[in-house]
Amino acid sequence: MTKLSNVKGRITYISSHAKQENLYAVYETTERKFWRELAKYNQEEFAKSGTEGKCIEARELIIALPESFTEFQPDRLLQLFTNHFKQNYGTDCIAALHHNKRKTNYHIHLIFAERKLLDEPIIKIASRNMFYNENGKHVRTKKEILGENGEIREGCCIVKKGEVYEKKLFTAKEERFKSNSFLDEVKHSYTDLINIYVQDESQKLQVFERGGVYLATKKIGKNNPKAQEIESDNQKRQEWNRAVDMALISGVPEPKIMEVKRKEITEPIRKSIARRGNRPRLFSRVVTVAVEALEFLIANVLFKKPREVLKQTEQTEIEHPKHVAENSTAAVKTTKEEKAEPEQPKMTRLASKYPKLFKVNKELEDQNGAIQQKQKQLSAKKKELSEVKGWFKGRKKKELQNEIDELKSQIRDMKDYLPRIVQKIGYRSVQEFLKDFKASQTEYSQYRTAIEKWKKETGKEPVAHGIRAKLAEKKQEIQNEQKNKQHTHKQNKDWGAR
C-alpha cells in the first residue's frame, strides 16, 4: 500500500494506454469528477491543519495475481476485485489491470478514497464579513490581515456577508486505513478471494504470518537502488527458513524454534537498531549465528531421540498405528439412533488423508536424513582442511575447498527441495503440512481404536466407506450383472437346443 499525494496524476498514469504497455482493463466505481473534488478538498483541509509535509489525497493497493488468472476475462476479473473492496469498506475506487514488460507480473493497481461523499453537502454561509490569513486560518478582525501599508497582505482574503465560507462534501478520513492491521486484513481478504479461483493447489497463496517461525523475504522493486542489499538480506532469511524446515521435520517443537528466533534474531536486532541505527551487515551476522544455534538444537534432538525422529516411519504401520489415543470420539462420527447394535464408526475427512500424508512425511524425513548425512560429510571436510598445514599443501587445500563448496551447494539445493515436496500436494509450507499430518495421524488412530471396539462388540468386519469403496462396490455390481446376463443367455441357448 502506498500514499498518493497526486491522485489525479496517478489515475492518469495507471489508466492510460499511452503510458502503459500492457493495460488490459480499467474499472471505476464512480465518476472522475469525484477524484478531482476529493483532491481539492483534501488539499484545503491539509492547508487548514497547518501540518508539514505532503497532503495524502488517496491510497493505492498493488495486488499480485497468479499468472493462471490471465485465462479469465480481464474486465470481469477487475470488476470482481474492485467491487470486493468497495463492498467490504464502502469507499469508492478506481482500478487498472496490468502486466509488466516481460509479462511475468500480472497485477492490479487499486486506488481508493479515505473519505466518503456525503449524501447532502454541508454549505455554510457567512452572516458577516469573515477574514482569513495566509494560512487559511480564520481571524476576528480585518486589522489582523493588513500589512504595514494598510493593504491586505498577499495570501489573505475576505469572505463577504452572504457568501459561502465553507463547503463540506466529504466525511472525515477513515483512521483504520492508516493502520498495519488494515493492510493485514486486506491481504487475508484478497488471498482468500484469489484462492477460490486458483485451480492448481500448488499455486494457492498464503499471507505471511508475522511473529511465526519463518522470516519474511522482501520484494525488490523496479530500479531499486538497494536491490543488491535486499537480495543479500533475502538470502540470509531463506537460510534461516531452510533451517526451520529441517528443525520441524526433525521434531524440534515450535516454541523452541521461536525461542531461538527471539533470543538470536529479534532481540539482538532491536537492541542494535536502538543503539546504532539500521545496519544491514549486522543482520547477516546475526542470522548466521541464529542458524548455527538452530542446527545445534536439531543435532541435540536427533541425538536424544534417534528412533522416534529418524526411524519413526519404519516403525509405524499405516494399517495399525502404535500411538493410539484412547477413549476419544473426536475422529469418529456416529449417530445416536436406537438400534440393537452400534453403527460402524465412520472415518473423518482428515483421517482418510492420513495414508497419503504419511507417504509425503516419509519423503520429507528421507530428504532430511540425506541432508544430515551431507552435513556430516561437510563437517569432516572442513576438519580435514583445517588440519592441512605447510607451504607445499596448496593443491590439497584447493581440492578440499572445492569439495566443501560443492557440498554446500548440494546441501542448499536439497534444503530448497523440502518445501517443494509439500507444495506438490497443495501445502504452502512444511509447517502447515506437519500440522495437518499430526492431526490426521491422531484422528486415524482414534478411528482405528473405535473400529476395533466395534468389531469386538458386533463380531463383524467393517465395510469400506468413501468414494473409492463406492466405486469398487459399483464395479462389483456391474460384474455380477454381466455374469447373470451371460448365465441367462446360456440357459436360453440350451433351452432352444432341446
Side-chain angles (χ1 to χ4, degrees):
M1 183 169 69
T2 55
K3 303 171 186 175
L4 301 179
S5 56
N6 178 13
V7 67
K8 292 185 291 181
R10 185 62 179 170
I11 287 172
T12 302
Y13 179 75
I14 68 167
S15 62
S16 169
H17 283 281
K19 296 180 181 293
Q20 300 296 333
E21 264 189 298
N22 301 301
L23 172 62
Y24 300 111
V26 177
Y27 180 73
E28 307 176 46
T29 62
T30 186
E31 298 175 353
R32 289 285 173 98
K33 181 183 176 183
F34 169 87
W35 301 103
R36 292 194 295 271
E37 293 288 348
L38 178 68
K40 181 183 175 184
Y41 186 82
N42 276 326
Q43 290 292 349
E44 289 171 354
E45 291 296 306
F46 182 75
K48 287 179 189 177
S49 69
T51 308
E52 295 181 356
K54 291 183 178 181
C55 170
I56 307 305
E57 297 180 354
R59 290 176 184 260
E60 178 184 4
L61 291 169
I62 300 177
I63 307 159
L65 302 174
E67 283 302 307
S68 60
F69 276 31
T70 53
E71 299 171 2
F72 298 126
Q73 189 177 339
D75 291 338
R76 295 189 65 183
L77 179 69
L78 186 61
Q79 185 176 343
L80 171 70
F81 274 74
T82 311
N83 286 338
H84 177 79
F85 187 90
K86 184 172 182 180
Q87 184 179 349
N88 286 342
Y89 300 102
T91 186
D92 280 303
C93 320
I94 178 170
L97 182 61
H98 290 180
H99 240 146
N100 62 338
K101 286 185 179 180
R102 292 183 294 167
K103 292 194 174 183
T104 55
N105 182 10
Y106 201 46
H107 60 279
I108 291 172
H109 292 266
L110 188 145
I111 294 172
F112 67 94
E114 295 175 279
R115 302 178 189 270
K116 297 174 186 175
L117 195 65
L118 291 170
D119 295 332
E120 290 292 334
I122 300 170
I123 298 172
K124 295 182 180 179
I125 298 173
S127 58
R128 61 181 180 84
N129 287 351
M130 301 183 71
F131 312 105
Y132 293 88
N133 63 17
E134 300 92 330
N135 298 322
K137 187 176 180 181
H138 177 245
V139 293
R140 292 186 64 191
T141 62
K142 184 177 180 180
K143 189 182 291 185
E144 294 178 67
I145 63 171
L146 297 178
E148 294 178 356
N149 58 359
E151 298 292 329
I152 297 173
R153 296 195 306 270
E154 188 179 351
C156 300
C157 67
I158 301 174
V159 176
K160 294 181 180 179
K161 182 180 177 180
E163 291 181 352
V164 175
Y165 72 89
E166 187 177 336
K167 189 176 181 182
K168 197 171 183 181
L169 300 175
F170 298 89
T171 62
K173 283 188 175 182
E174 287 269 5
E175 289 297 320
R176 63 173 170 172
F177 292 144
K178 300 177 183 179
S179 65
N180 286 330
S181 61
F182 162 72
L183 186 56
D184 286 340
E185 182 185 323
V186 172
K187 284 180 180 178
H188 280 90
S189 178
Y190 271 122
T191 300
D192 292 341
L193 180 63
I194 288 169
N195 286 341
I196 291 171
Y197 299 97
V198 171
Q199 295 178 350
D200 185 355
E201 289 289 327
S202 64
Q203 284 192 7
K204 288 200 172 181
L205 306 178
Q206 182 184 30
V207 179
F208 186 87
E209 297 294 339
R210 296 184 184 184
V213 290
Y214 296 109
L215 287 175
T217 54
K218 298 178 182 178
K219 182 176 179 178
I220 304 173
K222 184 180 178 182
N223 300 325
N224 192 325
K226 294 185 177 180
Q228 190 173 355
E229 181 183 308
I230 295 172
E231 178 61 30
S232 176
D233 180 273
N234 282 344
Q235 287 176 2
K236 297 307 293 184
R237 289 168 181 266
Q238 287 167 354
E239 191 177 328
W240 165 262
N241 292 343
R242 292 187 199 106
V244 168
D245 283 342
M246 288 189 65
L248 290 170
I249 297 165
S250 300
V252 178
E254 283 189 28
K256 286 282 186 184
I257 299 173
M258 287 301 300
E259 187 179 354
V260 173
K261 183 184 176 186
R262 180 177 58 82
K263 288 184 177 179
E264 301 295 343
I265 299 178
T266 309
E267 290 180 0
I269 291 296
R270 187 186 293 123
K271 290 177 182 176
S272 174
I273 290 173
R275 286 198 308 267
R276 305 175 190 175
N278 191 16
R279 299 172 66 201
R281 291 182 181 178
L282 177 65
F283 178 79
S284 178
R285 292 201 296 270
V286 166
V287 174
T288 299
V289 172
V291 169
E292 289 174 357
L294 194 54
E295 287 177 347
F296 177 77
L297 193 60
I298 294 168
N300 193 38
V301 168
L302 295 180
F303 177 76
K304 285 184 177 180
K305 301 178 180 180
R307 289 185 180 179
E308 292 180 21
V309 178
L310 291 177
K311 299 182 181 180
Q312 182 182 9
T313 55
E314 295 175 10
Q315 296 173 348
T316 306
E317 293 179 7
I318 293 179
E319 293 297 326
H320 301 284
K322 293 184 180 179
H323 301 286
V324 176
E326 298 289 343
N327 301 321
S328 176
T329 58
V332 181
K333 296 178 181 176
T334 57
T335 59
K336 295 184 178 180
E337 298 176 5
E338 293 183 5
K339 292 187 177 181
E341 61 184 33
E343 270 194 26
Q344 177 184 330
K346 294 180 181 179
M347 189 182 294
T348 62
R349 185 191 63 83
L350 194 56
S352 66
K353 291 172 66 177
Y354 175 62
K356 180 181 177 181
L357 299 185
F358 179 89
K359 290 178 183 177
V360 175
N361 188 64
K362 176 73 164 61
E363 187 178 353
L364 280 175
E365 291 189 340
D366 289 345
Q367 182 73 0
N368 195 40
I371 293 169
Q372 297 288 346
Q373 291 300 319
K374 286 286 182 184
Q375 286 182 330
K376 287 179 182 178
Q377 293 176 27
L378 179 62
S379 299
K381 290 293 179 183
K382 283 182 177 180
K383 184 181 179 183
E384 188 179 347
L385 179 61
S386 66
E387 292 173 352
V388 176
K389 307 291 183 183
W391 289 97
F392 303 103
K393 300 289 184 178
R395 185 175 177 181
K396 179 67 174 175
K397 286 182 180 179
K398 189 176 180 180
E399 287 176 356
L400 285 171
Q401 188 59 54
N402 289 339
E403 289 178 20
I404 288 170
D405 293 340
E406 178 62 26
L407 281 170
K408 284 182 178 178
S409 178
Q410 289 176 8
I411 291 169
R412 185 172 58 252
D413 291 343
M414 291 170 77
K415 286 180 178 179
D416 285 341
Y417 184 66
L418 286 172
R420 292 179 203 159
I421 293 172
V422 300
Q423 286 165 3
K424 287 187 293 186
I425 59 167
Y427 289 93
R428 294 177 285 273
S429 69
V430 170
Q431 181 191 31
E432 183 185 343
F433 165 79
L434 289 174
K435 283 180 180 177
D436 258 16
F437 170 69
K438 289 172 184 176
S440 71
Q441 188 178 43
T442 301
E443 291 191 12
Y444 186 83
S445 297
Q446 292 167 355
Y447 168 74
R448 294 297 306 174
T449 303
I451 281 290
E452 291 301 321
K453 183 180 178 182
W454 179 83
K455 284 167 66 176
K456 287 179 181 178
E457 290 176 356
T458 63
K460 295 181 179 180
E461 285 298 317
V463 179
H465 294 287
I467 295 173
R468 289 184 180 179
K470 287 179 181 178
L471 288 173
E473 188 178 340
K474 190 69 177 175
K475 186 178 178 181
Q476 187 63 43
E477 285 179 10
I478 293 169
Q479 288 176 350
N480 291 338
E481 285 178 9
Q482 288 175 345
K483 285 180 180 178
N484 290 335
K485 284 179 181 179
Q486 288 174 1
H487 181 69
T488 306
H489 181 68
K490 186 178 179 183
Q491 280 184 337
N492 292 338
K493 211 173 180 183
D494 291 344
W495 182 263
R498 291 191 184 96

